Amino acid sequence: MKCPVCNAELPSTAKFCGGCGTTLTAPPQPPPFSPEASYEQARPMMNPPPSYGGNTPPTVQKKYKILRFIAVLIKVFAFIAGAIFIIGALVMLAAGVASSSQTSGFGNTGPALFGGVVGGLLMLVNGVFVFVFLYAISELMYVFMDIEENTRVTNEMLSGRK
């Protein structure tokens, strides 16, 4: 390394020049590149964003109270129907096992066991399907109501920018 003033040869770890006493400092490193920072510096602030009282969006009143109530009822009914189907499936399985364990005069217990197991499994699958379908319907109602509410909030925010 050479001194920038007197061109004396210096070790790379020197902080001062031994010949002229010049302080040797490393040039300042440029800050790391950040696309967000460069965008913010390059973008002119023509319209600063409006302040909504501490950066909170405006509040709008909730609409469709009856639809919200119906969505809750459908969700509750989904749990009740699912539970009823599961209990029915267990009862059908137990009845098939119980009827196959009893001896009858004919001695053929296979169809009773098969019918109870297959019927119970079909009822269980049906119960899961009914539960998922009803629960999804209630959540879909909430999604549409939330989309409508978010649209109104966005409209309020954009109308405040004038």
Side-chain angles (χ1 to χ4, degrees), residues 38-62:
S38 64
Y39 174 74
E40 289 298 324
Q41 292 169 353
R43 180 177 63 119
M45 289 294 286
M46 297 174 72
N47 292 328
S51 174
Y52 297 109
N55 293 332
T56 58
T59 57
V60 294
Q61 87 178 46
K62 293 213 182 266

Side-chain angles (χ1 to χ4, degrees), residues 3-8 10 16-24:
C3 174
V5 176
C6 67
N7 289 329
L10 302 171
F16 298 97
C17 176
C20 65
T22 303
T23 304
L24 302 173

